[in-house]
Amino acid sequence: MDKDVTMSERIAFQGDLGAYSHEACLSTRPSGTPVPCTTFEDVFAAVREGRADMAMLPVENTTYGRVADIHRLLPESGMHIVDEAFVRVRISLMALPGQTLEDIKHVRAHLVLLPQARAFLDANGITAEAAADSAGAAAAIAASGEMGVGALASHVAADIHGLNVLATDIEDQGHNTTRFLLMSPDEDMSRRGETMITTFVFEVRNIPAALYKAMGGFATNGINMTKLESYMVGGAFTATQFYADVEGHPDDPDLARALEELDYFTNRLDILGVYPAAAKRD
């Protein structure tokens, strides 16, 4: 990927303007142009059809784990991971100007976000309703002029939709963080940081202790594997695919040997991306 990162790359993401995915776009490509999409499939379609240059996708959250469907979609997308971002999920309560916190009796947010602010809502006697998208809920309140109702979303959503923030950092858990992957149609294997991450998927051969043997090469070559997850493919309980993150670049001799050994025990091995480890990873 030889693009000048100062160019205004169009970055597709799932959600409305002001979503946490939008915040991830701003953190990795501040000069990029956000392209909001309804679904994850729409995000990939936007890139395929030329309406966007890159895609920003959430893959896991420290509280809720893996984001549903993402691991299935990534290998099928034909795209490559070129960067990662970690966004702390800071929840703000926002409403139309001219109101105080005491005026807000009801809030709307994504179903996943509401339980994360349960203690605050209960303490203030505020009822909650699930919305399709938190930033979308903020946009709807701004468009309708509805009073007495707020949205729980990122402060970015308040800035974009002209709402006032009445309370910040109201999440119950202070560690809640979502990891995002920035993907491009163009592969980038260049070294762009001190620590590189290689992400790949593989399917082990149907032989005894195949996974144990496949993982042995990483241990003997001193490779730090930071993630290993399994998931079914094709609706069959016997067809298991694995998703893995390791530290290193495929050109590093130790990692090259580990991947060569892994390939011997697999039916399929696809590298999804090589990219610098984000500073917030530590």
Side-chain angles (χ1 to χ4, degrees):
M1 184 179 66
D2 295 324
K3 287 185 177 180
D4 183 346
V5 295
T6 63
M7 292 176 60
S8 183
E9 298 152 314
R10 299 166 299 169
I11 306 176
F13 65 93
Q14 188 276 324
D16 212 318
L17 291 173
Y20 291 100
S21 294
H22 184 191
E23 192 172 336
C25 295
L26 294 174
S27 71
T28 58
R29 298 292 190 274
S31 63
T33 300
V35 180
C37 300
T38 304
T39 66
F40 293 135
E41 288 83 354
D42 293 337
V43 171
F44 289 118
V47 178
R48 284 196 304 269
E49 296 166 7
R51 292 180 283 113
D53 303 302
M54 310 179 85
M56 182 67 75
L57 295 159
V59 288
E60 57 189 325
N61 176 270
T62 55
T63 300
Y64 290 93
R66 183 170 69 196
V67 176
D69 290 337
I70 284 298
H71 289 62
R72 174 181 60 83
L73 294 171
L74 292 185
E76 301 171 357
S77 69
M79 299 177 66
H80 309 274
I81 305 167
V82 295
D83 219 333
E84 67 175 354
F86 291 82
V87 174
R88 237 302 252 117
V89 181
R90 299 184 181 276
I91 304 175
S92 297
L93 190 158
M94 58 201 68
L96 287 167
Q99 302 177 93
T100 66
L101 178 60
E102 289 70 27
D103 296 323
I104 306 304
K105 307 301 180 184
H106 189 70
V107 296
R108 301 188 186 107
H110 190 280
L111 180 64
V112 171
L113 207 63
L114 292 175
Q116 300 179 36
R118 177 54 56 195
F120 175 88
L121 297 178
D122 290 345
N124 288 277
I126 300 175
T127 58
E129 175 186 354
D133 179 74
S134 294
I141 291 173
S144 68
E146 191 174 8
M147 306 294 281
V149 176
L152 304 185
S154 163
H155 71 90
V156 176
D159 295 340
I160 290 174
H161 301 296
L163 300 179
N164 281 357
V165 174
L166 303 180
T168 60
D169 295 343
I170 64 173
E171 59 275 8
D172 295 342
Q173 300 182 36
H175 63 74
N176 195 8
T177 300
T178 300
R179 180 186 177 216
F180 293 84
L181 297 177
L182 182 64
M183 305 192 71
S184 169
D186 303 315
E187 186 178 41
D188 185 358
M189 298 288 285
S190 64
R191 293 182 184 271
R192 291 166 287 135
E194 182 177 346
T195 301
M196 298 294 291
I197 303 296
T198 297
T199 294
F200 54 93
V201 293
F202 63 95
E203 183 177 324
V204 294
R205 294 168 55 197
N206 187 22
I207 59 176
L211 180 60
Y212 173 79
K213 295 174 181 176
M215 293 296 95
F218 295 94
T220 56
N221 285 285
I223 302 301
N224 184 26
M225 180 171 287
T226 60
K227 173 169 289 295
L228 177 65
E229 289 191 346
S230 64
Y231 57 103
M232 291 185 297
V233 291
F237 286 100
T238 56
T240 302
Q241 191 159 271
F242 293 87
Y243 172 101
D245 292 336
V246 298
E247 290 185 356
H249 191 287
D251 289 343
D252 297 337
D254 290 344
L255 182 52
R257 286 192 296 268
L259 291 173
E260 182 179 5
E261 188 168 337
L262 173 64
D263 188 54
Y264 179 77
F265 297 104
T266 61
N267 294 320
R268 175 186 179 186
L269 172 59
D270 297 321
I271 293 180
L272 299 182
V274 181
Y275 49 97
K280 292 184 179 180
R281 174 178 280 266
D282 297 330

